[in-house]
Amino acid sequence: MTCWTVQGLLVLSVAAFGEGRMDLSAGWMDAATQMALDLGMQDKAFADAASDPFMAESSRRTYWALYWQGNMRAMREDSPTFMLSGVVASTELPCEEWEYQSGEIPQPLSLKNYSARDPMDEKSYSSWTYLIDLCRLSTEADSRLVSWLINLPKWKQQLVDPGGAVDMVLFHAMAYANSLRIKMQLPMEASGFGIRDLLTLGPLFKSRDMAFPRMPRCSGSSYPWLECSIALQAGLSTIGLFNFSLPPARYSPACIIGLRRAALALLDARMYGGSDSPALREKLDLLLSVLKVAGEMWPVARNIGNEVSDVLRDLNVTGNRDNINQLDSCMDAFIADMTTSGVAPDSGMFPFPEPRTVEGMFNWSAGHVNVGQ
């Protein structure tokens, strides 16, 4: 029983989730987590006992990857807690990806010291640190998630590391943040229903008390709540991450549920908006394309894509039968505003190595862990 055993079980758990084998995924996740606790990987002393700084960093990444995956599982299953949520961990936070790959491991930062930072300080932290911080906010109010998003350093929000590659850790963190925002707007126990069943309940998402400040309210809209829907904003932001031409196979299967939630927000707007929107259709087409390509590797993505496609097909049939062909310029303007507010320039030039196997997907081999990238 070693750190590498924990890594192997974690990789198997994530891969099983992508295959739709939730029973195996849960079993391997529970086994990996319990083994990590038995080894004492939550304690600083465990990493400090490693043979060199690189192995110590790999140990830290293994523990915090377990924490992240456990947090996402709890959010998927509407569980208020998970095995590591109540554990007081003294093991320090992982460094940046490019530092890890170079083998030049900096002095690690403790979670305690990060929590005690000056909120007005402009110092940047590793993407892993921001991801772990987000997990701690997963049950907080939407305003806390928004604060997390807007307080990310500007250069990190571009999702490009100093080497010119896309920062996959922060990519997943931002996708997860938007997924959490949508989840908070859904009815209780919504995770137990399919997309079609949820949409038949009526409009799922309500507006905030105040209109979206960047977009004037369109008084003639049948459903003006659409223009300031938190869920619609978050759904569009999730899909906007793929403006980087990111190969969808690089998207962690555990995060694909975020695409399902984004689909719910967009389909809700499409079904109950009372009019048509070319911009909304374009975003739904992009979402389907992402799910289709991701589905070539992960069946769970293909299943979600089939759900979305079936609902859209029915909506198109209903729309043609009822002659709903009014174009919604307000919706188009809202989507255009969301789309242009945070897009990095020249995104097609960034490199993305394409994985060919499960091992390649996670960049995993003995002594390394990079789960979710």
Short mmCIF file of all heavy atoms in Angstrom, two decimals, residues 143-190:
data_model
loop_
_atom_site.label_atom_id
_atom_site.label_comp_id
_atom_site.label_asym_id
_atom_site.label_seq_id
_atom_site.Cartn_x
_atom_site.Cartn_y
_atom_site.Cartn_z
N SER A 143 -22.66 34.54 -4.36
CA SER A 143 -21.77 35.71 -4.29
C SER A 143 -20.34 35.32 -3.96
O SER A 143 -19.39 35.96 -4.41
CB SER A 143 -22.29 36.71 -3.25
OG SER A 143 -22.37 36.11 -1.97
N ARG A 144 -20.16 34.24 -3.18
CA ARG A 144 -18.81 33.78 -2.86
C ARG A 144 -18.13 33.20 -4.10
O ARG A 144 -16.92 33.37 -4.30
CB ARG A 144 -18.86 32.73 -1.75
CG ARG A 144 -19.38 33.24 -0.42
CD ARG A 144 -18.42 34.24 0.22
NE ARG A 144 -17.10 33.69 0.46
CZ ARG A 144 -16.76 32.96 1.52
NH1 ARG A 144 -17.67 32.68 2.44
NH2 ARG A 144 -15.53 32.52 1.67
N LEU A 145 -18.90 32.50 -4.92
CA LEU A 145 -18.34 31.95 -6.15
C LEU A 145 -17.99 33.06 -7.13
O LEU A 145 -16.95 33.01 -7.80
CB LEU A 145 -19.34 30.98 -6.80
CG LEU A 145 -19.69 29.74 -5.97
CD1 LEU A 145 -20.78 28.93 -6.67
CD2 LEU A 145 -18.45 28.87 -5.75
N VAL A 146 -18.85 34.07 -7.22
CA VAL A 146 -18.56 35.21 -8.09
C VAL A 146 -17.30 35.91 -7.61
O VAL A 146 -16.43 36.30 -8.40
CB VAL A 146 -19.75 36.18 -8.12
CG1 VAL A 146 -19.38 37.46 -8.87
CG2 VAL A 146 -20.96 35.52 -8.77
N SER A 147 -17.17 36.07 -6.30
CA SER A 147 -15.98 36.69 -5.73
C SER A 147 -14.73 35.90 -6.09
O SER A 147 -13.69 36.48 -6.45
CB SER A 147 -16.12 36.80 -4.21
OG SER A 147 -14.96 37.35 -3.63
N TRP A 148 -14.83 34.57 -6.02
CA TRP A 148 -13.69 33.72 -6.38
C TRP A 148 -13.31 33.96 -7.85
O TRP A 148 -12.13 34.10 -8.18
CB TRP A 148 -14.05 32.26 -6.15
CG TRP A 148 -12.95 31.29 -6.48
CD1 TRP A 148 -11.96 30.84 -5.64
CD2 TRP A 148 -12.70 30.67 -7.75
NE1 TRP A 148 -11.13 29.98 -6.31
CE2 TRP A 148 -11.56 29.85 -7.61
CE3 TRP A 148 -13.34 30.72 -8.99
CZ2 TRP A 148 -11.04 29.09 -8.66
CZ3 TRP A 148 -12.83 29.97 -10.04
CH2 TRP A 148 -11.69 29.17 -9.87
N LEU A 149 -14.31 34.02 -8.72
CA LEU A 149 -14.05 34.19 -10.15
C LEU A 149 -13.40 35.53 -10.45
O LEU A 149 -12.42 35.61 -11.20
CB LEU A 149 -15.35 34.05 -10.94
CG LEU A 149 -15.87 32.62 -11.14
CD1 LEU A 149 -17.34 32.64 -11.57
CD2 LEU A 149 -15.03 31.87 -12.17
N ILE A 150 -13.93 36.60 -9.88
CA ILE A 150 -13.43 37.93 -10.24
C ILE A 150 -12.11 38.25 -9.56
O ILE A 150 -11.38 39.14 -10.00
CB ILE A 150 -14.46 39.03 -9.95
CG1 ILE A 150 -14.74 39.15 -8.45
CG2 ILE A 150 -15.75 38.78 -10.71
CD1 ILE A 150 -15.70 40.28 -8.10
N ASN A 151 -11.78 37.53 -8.49
CA ASN A 151 -10.52 37.78 -7.79
C ASN A 151 -9.36 36.95 -8.33
O ASN A 151 -8.23 37.09 -7.85
CB ASN A 151 -10.68 37.53 -6.29
CG ASN A 151 -11.34 38.69 -5.58
OD1 ASN A 151 -10.95 39.84 -5.75
ND2 ASN A 151 -12.39 38.41 -4.82
N LEU A 152 -9.63 36.09 -9.31
CA LEU A 152 -8.52 35.40 -9.96
C LEU A 152 -7.62 36.44 -10.63
O LEU A 152 -8.12 37.40 -11.22
CB LEU A 152 -9.03 34.42 -11.01
CG LEU A 152 -9.74 33.16 -10.52
CD1 LEU A 152 -10.34 32.41 -11.71
CD2 LEU A 152 -8.79 32.26 -9.75
N PRO A 153 -6.31 36.29 -10.53
CA PRO A 153 -5.42 37.25 -11.21
C PRO A 153 -5.76 37.36 -12.69
O PRO A 153 -6.09 36.36 -13.34
CB PRO A 153 -4.03 36.63 -11.01
CG PRO A 153 -4.17 35.80 -9.76
CD PRO A 153 -5.56 35.26 -9.79
N LYS A 154 -5.70 38.56 -13.22
CA LYS A 154 -6.10 38.80 -14.61
C LYS A 154 -5.33 37.92 -15.58
O LYS A 154 -5.89 37.39 -16.53
CB LYS A 154 -5.91 40.28 -14.97
CG LYS A 154 -6.77 41.24 -14.15
CD LYS A 154 -8.25 40.96 -14.34
CE LYS A 154 -9.11 41.95 -13.56
NZ LYS A 154 -10.55 41.61 -13.63
N TRP A 155 -4.04 37.76 -15.33
CA TRP A 155 -3.26 36.96 -16.28
C TRP A 155 -3.65 35.49 -16.22
O TRP A 155 -3.60 34.78 -17.23
CB TRP A 155 -1.76 37.13 -16.02
CG TRP A 155 -1.24 36.50 -14.75
CD1 TRP A 155 -1.19 37.06 -13.51
CD2 TRP A 155 -0.67 35.18 -14.63
NE1 TRP A 155 -0.65 36.18 -12.60
CE2 TRP A 155 -0.31 35.02 -13.26
CE3 TRP A 155 -0.44 34.14 -15.51
CZ2 TRP A 155 0.27 33.85 -12.78
CZ3 TRP A 155 0.14 32.96 -15.04
CH2 TRP A 155 0.49 32.83 -13.69
N LYS A 156 -4.11 35.04 -15.05
CA LYS A 156 -4.56 33.65 -14.95
C LYS A 156 -5.92 33.45 -15.62
O LYS A 156 -6.21 32.36 -16.12
CB LYS A 156 -4.61 33.21 -13.49
CG LYS A 156 -3.28 32.72 -12.95
CD LYS A 156 -3.44 32.08 -11.60
CE LYS A 156 -2.19 31.32 -11.21
NZ LYS A 156 -1.98 30.10 -12.01
N GLN A 157 -6.74 34.48 -15.62
CA GLN A 157 -8.04 34.36 -16.26
C GLN A 157 -7.92 34.12 -17.76
O GLN A 157 -8.87 33.65 -18.39
CB GLN A 157 -8.88 35.61 -15.99
CG GLN A 157 -9.30 35.76 -14.54
CD GLN A 157 -10.18 36.98 -14.31
OE1 GLN A 157 -10.96 37.36 -15.17
NE2 GLN A 157 -10.04 37.61 -13.15
N GLN A 158 -6.77 34.44 -18.32
CA GLN A 158 -6.54 34.16 -19.74
C GLN A 158 -6.30 32.68 -19.99
O GLN A 158 -6.30 32.22 -21.14
CB GLN A 158 -5.35 34.97 -20.25
CG GLN A 158 -5.52 36.47 -20.11
CD GLN A 158 -6.75 36.99 -20.83
OE1 GLN A 158 -6.95 36.69 -22.00
NE2 GLN A 158 -7.57 37.76 -20.14
N LEU A 159 -6.08 31.90 -18.90
CA LEU A 159 -5.92 30.45 -18.97
C LEU A 159 -4.71 30.01 -19.79
O LEU A 159 -4.70 28.91 -20.35
CB LEU A 159 -7.19 29.79 -19.53
CG LEU A 159 -8.44 29.90 -18.67
CD1 LEU A 159 -9.64 29.28 -19.38
CD2 LEU A 159 -8.23 29.21 -17.32
N VAL A 160 -3.70 30.84 -19.85
CA VAL A 160 -2.49 30.50 -20.57
C VAL A 160 -1.31 30.65 -19.62
O VAL A 160 -1.12 31.70 -19.01
CB VAL A 160 -2.28 31.40 -21.80
CG1 VAL A 160 -1.03 30.99 -22.56
CG2 VAL A 160 -3.50 31.35 -22.71
N ASP A 161 -0.51 29.58 -19.49
CA ASP A 161 0.62 29.63 -18.57
C ASP A 161 1.82 30.32 -19.23
O ASP A 161 1.78 30.63 -20.43
CB ASP A 161 0.97 28.23 -18.06
CG ASP A 161 1.55 27.31 -19.12
OD1 ASP A 161 2.11 27.82 -20.12
OD2 ASP A 161 1.46 26.08 -18.96
N PRO A 162 2.88 30.60 -18.47
CA PRO A 162 4.03 31.31 -19.04
C PRO A 162 4.68 30.61 -20.23
O PRO A 162 5.36 31.24 -21.03
CB PRO A 162 5.01 31.40 -17.85
CG PRO A 162 4.13 31.39 -16.65
CD PRO A 162 3.02 30.45 -17.00
N GLY A 163 4.46 29.30 -20.36
CA GLY A 163 5.02 28.57 -21.48
C GLY A 163 4.15 28.61 -22.73
O GLY A 163 4.52 28.04 -23.76
N GLY A 164 2.99 29.26 -22.65
CA GLY A 164 2.11 29.38 -23.80
C GLY A 164 1.09 28.27 -23.92
O GLY A 164 0.32 28.23 -24.88
N ALA A 165 1.06 27.34 -22.96
CA ALA A 165 0.08 26.25 -22.99
C ALA A 165 -1.13 26.62 -22.14
O ALA A 165 -1.03 27.43 -21.21
CB ALA A 165 0.70 24.96 -22.47
N VAL A 166 -2.27 26.04 -22.46
CA VAL A 166 -3.47 26.30 -21.67
C VAL A 166 -3.32 25.70 -20.28
O VAL A 166 -2.86 24.57 -20.11
CB VAL A 166 -4.71 25.73 -22.38
CG1 VAL A 166 -5.93 25.78 -21.47
CG2 VAL A 166 -4.99 26.50 -23.66
N ASP A 167 -3.67 26.47 -19.28
CA ASP A 167 -3.61 26.04 -17.88
C ASP A 167 -4.81 25.14 -17.61
O ASP A 167 -5.90 25.61 -17.30
CB ASP A 167 -3.64 27.28 -16.99
CG ASP A 167 -3.48 26.96 -15.51
OD1 ASP A 167 -3.71 25.80 -15.12
OD2 ASP A 167 -3.13 27.87 -14.74
N MET A 168 -4.61 23.83 -17.72
CA MET A 168 -5.72 22.89 -17.60
C MET A 168 -6.29 22.82 -16.19
O MET A 168 -7.47 22.55 -16.00
CB MET A 168 -5.28 21.50 -18.06
CG MET A 168 -4.97 21.41 -19.54
SD MET A 168 -6.38 21.87 -20.58
CE MET A 168 -7.61 20.69 -20.06
N VAL A 169 -5.45 23.06 -15.18
CA VAL A 169 -5.95 23.04 -13.81
C VAL A 169 -6.96 24.16 -13.60
O VAL A 169 -8.07 23.95 -13.10
CB VAL A 169 -4.79 23.15 -12.80
CG1 VAL A 169 -5.33 23.24 -11.37
CG2 VAL A 169 -3.86 21.95 -12.93
N LEU A 170 -6.60 25.36 -14.01
CA LEU A 170 -7.52 26.49 -13.83
C LEU A 170 -8.70 26.39 -14.80
O LEU A 170 -9.81 26.85 -14.48
CB LEU A 170 -6.78 27.81 -14.02
CG LEU A 170 -7.50 29.02 -13.40
CD1 LEU A 170 -7.64 28.86 -11.90
CD2 LEU A 170 -6.78 30.32 -13.72
N PHE A 171 -8.50 25.81 -15.96
CA PHE A 171 -9.60 25.58 -16.89
C PHE A 171 -10.70 24.77 -16.19
O PHE A 171 -11.88 25.12 -16.22
CB PHE A 171 -9.10 24.83 -18.12
CG PHE A 171 -10.19 24.44 -19.09
CD1 PHE A 171 -10.52 25.28 -20.14
CD2 PHE A 171 -10.87 23.25 -18.96
CE1 PHE A 171 -11.53 24.93 -21.04
CE2 PHE A 171 -11.88 22.88 -19.85
CZ PHE A 171 -12.20 23.73 -20.89
N HIS A 172 -10.30 23.67 -15.55
CA HIS A 172 -11.27 22.84 -14.85
C HIS A 172 -11.87 23.57 -13.65
O HIS A 172 -13.05 23.40 -13.33
CB HIS A 172 -10.61 21.53 -14.40
CG HIS A 172 -10.42 20.56 -15.52
ND1 HIS A 172 -9.29 20.54 -16.30
CD2 HIS A 172 -11.23 19.58 -16.00
CE1 HIS A 172 -9.41 19.58 -17.21
NE2 HIS A 172 -10.58 18.99 -17.05
N ALA A 173 -11.06 24.38 -12.98
CA ALA A 173 -11.57 25.12 -11.83
C ALA A 173 -12.65 26.11 -12.26
O ALA A 173 -13.70 26.22 -11.61
CB ALA A 173 -10.42 25.86 -11.13
N MET A 174 -12.42 26.84 -13.35
CA MET A 174 -13.41 27.82 -13.80
C MET A 174 -14.67 27.12 -14.30
O MET A 174 -15.79 27.60 -14.07
CB MET A 174 -12.80 28.71 -14.88
CG MET A 174 -11.68 29.60 -14.36
SD MET A 174 -10.95 30.67 -15.61
CE MET A 174 -12.28 31.85 -15.87
N ALA A 175 -14.50 25.99 -14.97
CA ALA A 175 -15.67 25.22 -15.40
C ALA A 175 -16.47 24.74 -14.20
O ALA A 175 -17.71 24.78 -14.19
CB ALA A 175 -15.23 24.04 -16.26
N TYR A 176 -15.76 24.30 -13.17
CA TYR A 176 -16.43 23.80 -11.96
C TYR A 176 -17.15 24.93 -11.23
O TYR A 176 -18.27 24.75 -10.74
CB TYR A 176 -15.40 23.14 -11.04
CG TYR A 176 -15.98 22.43 -9.85
CD1 TYR A 176 -17.17 21.71 -9.94
CD2 TYR A 176 -15.33 22.45 -8.61
CE1 TYR A 176 -17.70 21.05 -8.84
CE2 TYR A 176 -15.85 21.78 -7.52
CZ TYR A 176 -17.03 21.08 -7.63
OH TYR A 176 -17.55 20.43 -6.54
N ALA A 177 -16.54 26.11 -11.19
CA ALA A 177 -17.17 27.26 -10.53
C ALA A 177 -18.50 27.60 -11.20
O ALA A 177 -19.52 27.84 -10.52
CB ALA A 177 -16.24 28.46 -10.55
N ASN A 178 -18.52 27.62 -12.52
CA ASN A 178 -19.76 27.93 -13.23
C ASN A 178 -20.79 26.82 -13.07
O ASN A 178 -21.99 27.08 -12.98
CB ASN A 178 -19.45 28.18 -14.71
CG ASN A 178 -18.81 29.53 -14.94
OD1 ASN A 178 -19.36 30.57 -14.57
ND2 ASN A 178 -17.63 29.54 -15.52
N SER A 179 -20.31 25.58 -13.01
CA SER A 179 -21.23 24.46 -12.78
C SER A 179 -21.88 24.58 -11.40
O SER A 179 -23.09 24.32 -11.25
CB SER A 179 -20.46 23.14 -12.88
OG SER A 179 -21.27 22.05 -12.52
N LEU A 180 -21.11 24.98 -10.41
CA LEU A 180 -21.66 25.16 -9.06
C LEU A 180 -22.70 26.28 -9.03
O LEU A 180 -23.71 26.19 -8.34
CB LEU A 180 -20.54 25.46 -8.07
CG LEU A 180 -19.60 24.30 -7.73
CD1 LEU A 180 -18.41 24.79 -6.93
CD2 LEU A 180 -20.34 23.21 -6.96
N ARG A 181 -22.45 27.34 -9.80
CA ARG A 181 -23.42 28.44 -9.85
C ARG A 181 -24.76 27.96 -10.40
O ARG A 181 -25.82 28.36 -9.92
CB ARG A 181 -22.88 29.59 -10.71
CG ARG A 181 -21.62 30.26 -10.18
CD ARG A 181 -21.36 31.56 -10.93
NE ARG A 181 -22.33 32.58 -10.54
CZ ARG A 181 -22.62 33.65 -11.27
NH1 ARG A 181 -22.04 33.82 -12.45
NH2 ARG A 181 -23.51 34.54 -10.85
N ILE A 182 -24.70 27.12 -11.43
CA ILE A 182 -25.94 26.59 -12.00
C ILE A 182 -26.62 25.66 -11.00
O ILE A 182 -27.84 25.72 -10.81
CB ILE A 182 -25.66 25.85 -13.32
CG1 ILE A 182 -25.06 26.81 -14.34
CG2 ILE A 182 -26.94 25.22 -13.87
CD1 ILE A 182 -24.56 26.14 -15.61
N LYS A 183 -25.84 24.80 -10.37
CA LYS A 183 -26.41 23.84 -9.41
C LYS A 183 -27.19 24.55 -8.31
O LYS A 183 -28.25 24.08 -7.88
CB LYS A 183 -25.29 23.00 -8.80
CG LYS A 183 -25.76 22.06 -7.68
CD LYS A 183 -24.61 21.27 -7.10
CE LYS A 183 -25.02 20.57 -5.81
NZ LYS A 183 -26.19 19.70 -5.96
N MET A 184 -26.67 25.69 -7.86
CA MET A 184 -27.33 26.42 -6.77
C MET A 184 -28.70 26.95 -7.18
O MET A 184 -29.53 27.25 -6.33
CB MET A 184 -26.44 27.57 -6.30
CG MET A 184 -25.21 27.11 -5.56
SD MET A 184 -24.21 28.51 -5.02
CE MET A 184 -22.86 27.65 -4.19
N GLN A 185 -28.94 27.08 -8.48
CA GLN A 185 -30.22 27.60 -8.96
C GLN A 185 -31.23 26.49 -9.25
O GLN A 185 -32.40 26.77 -9.52
CB GLN A 185 -30.01 28.42 -10.24
CG GLN A 185 -28.95 29.51 -10.12
CD GLN A 185 -29.23 30.47 -8.99
OE1 GLN A 185 -30.35 30.95 -8.84
NE2 GLN A 185 -28.22 30.77 -8.18
N LEU A 186 -30.77 25.24 -9.23
CA LEU A 186 -31.65 24.12 -9.56
C LEU A 186 -32.51 23.72 -8.36
O LEU A 186 -32.13 23.95 -7.21
CB LEU A 186 -30.82 22.92 -10.00
CG LEU A 186 -30.23 22.97 -11.41
CD1 LEU A 186 -29.21 21.85 -11.60
CD2 LEU A 186 -31.33 22.87 -12.46
N PRO A 187 -33.66 23.11 -8.62
CA PRO A 187 -34.49 22.60 -7.51
C PRO A 187 -33.74 21.53 -6.72
O PRO A 187 -32.84 20.87 -7.24
CB PRO A 187 -35.71 22.00 -8.23
CG PRO A 187 -35.71 22.61 -9.60
CD PRO A 187 -34.28 22.88 -9.93
N MET A 188 -34.12 21.36 -5.49
CA MET A 188 -33.53 20.31 -4.66
C MET A 188 -33.76 18.95 -5.30
O MET A 188 -34.79 18.71 -5.92
CB MET A 188 -34.14 20.35 -3.26
CG MET A 188 -33.83 21.61 -2.47
SD MET A 188 -32.08 21.75 -2.06
CE MET A 188 -31.92 20.40 -0.88
N GLU A 189 -32.79 18.06 -5.15
CA GLU A 189 -32.87 16.69 -5.67
C GLU A 189 -32.92 16.65 -7.20
O GLU A 189 -33.32 15.64 -7.79
CB GLU A 189 -34.10 15.95 -5.10
CG GLU A 189 -34.21 15.97 -3.58
CD GLU A 189 -33.02 15.31 -2.89
OE1 GLU A 189 -32.43 14.40 -3.49
OE2 GLU A 189 -32.69 15.73 -1.77
N ALA A 190 -32.49 17.72 -7.86
CA ALA A 190 -32.56 17.75 -9.32
C ALA A 190 -31.62 16.74 -9.96
O ALA A 190 -31.84 16.31 -11.09
CB ALA A 190 -32.22 19.15 -9.83
#
